[in-house]
Amino acid sequence: SNLGTGTLVFNGGNLNLTTGAANFTLSNAISLLSNAAITNNGTTTATFSGAITSGNAQTNTLTLAGSGPMIFSGAIANGTNSGVIAVTQTNTDQVTLSNLNNTYSGASTLNAGTFYVTGDLGGVTAVTLAGSAIYKLGHNNAIGSLAGSSTGSTVNLQSYTLTVGTAGSVASTTYAGLITGTGTVLMQGGTLDR
């Protein structure tokens, strides 16, 4: 399913889906000119295969909401005009990022559900978990930092490596949740307090 063939531009609006018996796929590129939300309250998967970028020179937050599963197979990246994308998950199901070229530098704030990254996050985004949120790796991942005060949150490494921080960084964060799986946490820079 497409909304035409051009870029879907958010300038203060939201996209609300209620997927039915069949999965929903949107292939349009998405450009954010302001904060926006994509919500799936259906029972089947909503897939977004187009790239998502910031369309202006500010930080725009994309909130992934609802109670139905979502897959983002297109890259999520900052704009070419110094714009920044941040991602917030309030969706209580599973949101999957499968692209290996996600390079957005805004924060990744995980408030609910499972944030399943089978691609990569590019090594810059600061990941913060709250409540019972789960950050699950399906591929080696690199992030700027890891934080969260909730003891009910989980980082599930499975068998992969999570690289945290950048060389030379002196930043310090605290993560109070669980870290599970047989994989490895590789501290590249900064300090992670447990």
Side-chain angles (χ1 to χ4, degrees):
S1 299
N2 284 349
L3 298 176
T5 58
T7 299
L8 176 61
V9 178
F10 285 90
N11 189 16
N14 303 311
L15 178 63
N16 295 320
L17 305 172
T18 303
T19 55
N23 293 336
F24 174 91
T25 300
L26 184 72
S27 60
N28 303 67
I30 294 175
S31 176
L32 301 186
L33 298 179
S34 66
N35 296 336
I38 297 177
T39 302
N40 179 19
N41 280 320
T43 56
T44 54
T45 302
T47 298
F48 302 85
S49 60
I52 300 176
T53 57
S54 176
N56 54 23
Q58 66 186 39
T59 297
N60 296 307
T61 299
L62 176 63
T63 297
L64 310 176
S67 57
M70 295 192 281
I71 297 173
F72 292 84
S73 58
I76 303 176
N78 295 335
T80 58
N81 49 9
S82 301
V84 172
I85 292 285
V87 174
T88 295
Q89 179 175 342
T90 60
N91 185 291
T92 56
D93 204 287
Q94 181 167 284
V95 172
T96 301
L97 272 59
S98 62
N99 198 288
L100 291 171
N101 296 309
N102 294 306
T103 56
Y104 66 94
S105 63
S108 296
T109 305
L110 314 181
N111 293 323
T114 298
F115 188 68
Y116 186 29
V117 183
T118 60
D120 193 13
L121 292 180
V124 179
T125 185
V127 176
T128 301
L129 288 83
S132 58
I134 299 170
Y135 169 30
K136 180 179 179 182
L137 275 65
H139 189 274
N140 294 336
N141 264 217
I143 60 177
S145 63
L146 176 66
S149 60
S150 173
T151 57
S153 62
T154 302
V155 175
N156 183 355
L157 301 171
Q158 299 205 90
S159 59
Y160 301 100
T161 297
L162 176 63
T163 301
V164 180
T166 55
S169 172
V170 296
S172 177
T173 59
T174 299
Y175 174 66
L178 299 172
I179 298 178
T180 63
T182 60
T184 301
V185 176
L186 173 62
M187 293 299 302
Q188 188 74 18
T191 302
L192 177 62
D193 295 321
R194 294 281 292 143

